[in-house]
Amino acid sequence: MHPLRPQSFAIAITRAAVDAAPRWGLDAAARLTIDSRVDVDSLDRFPQVVVQTSGSQPLDMGPHGDAALIRVVWRVSDLDVDVAEQAAVDLEDALVRYWRAATVTDEGWMSHLDITQDPVLTNITTVTDDIQEFTMIAEIVARTGRTI
């Protein structure tokens, strides 16, 4: 396994949580398209979640690159405010359940998950009026699995 890559880690845990969502009855999350940025065809892929790391701090818990505190921002968008909100809420639930299951991806695993902002409507300044966007933020202690 390679050293921790914060953005790849954030995408991997999001994909894994979304893939597992149907097992927990979280169907709105299961329909999400996952990406790391908005693109010209994003509208065709709604509901969509854009996953980005907003910071990463190495942790002194083993060899360098094995653990980090990562801040992740998820932006869930759709034309329908109810669809976007339910997908965001289901995604949050799926991430928490996935963390509690201690599942390991190819990029590593979450040893701690702290949701610092529940999904809130944030489309006032970031997108056009017809696109509804809910933003969720978390701090994650991420580990590569090299020294579990």
Side-chain angles (χ1 to χ4, degrees), residues 49-122:
V49 59
V50 173
V51 183
Q52 296 180 325
T53 53
S54 65
S56 178
Q57 174 185 348
L59 297 176
D60 294 331
M61 298 177 187
H64 180 74
D66 276 1
L69 176 64
I70 301 173
R71 283 164 295 287
V72 182
V73 178
W74 292 269
R75 292 179 181 89
V76 177
S77 301
D78 196 87
L79 295 175
D80 184 311
V81 68
D82 294 326
V83 170
E85 183 176 35
Q86 191 60 55
V89 169
D90 279 7
L91 175 60
E92 179 181 24
D93 195 7
L95 285 163
V96 169
R97 289 171 187 242
Y98 182 78
W99 161 58
R100 287 182 178 157
T103 308
V104 179
T105 72
D106 289 342
E107 294 293 330
W109 59 288
M110 292 186 278
S111 67
H112 185 76
L113 171 66
D114 183 17
I115 304 291
T116 58
Q117 177 180 299
D118 289 321
V120 294
L121 186 64
T122 55

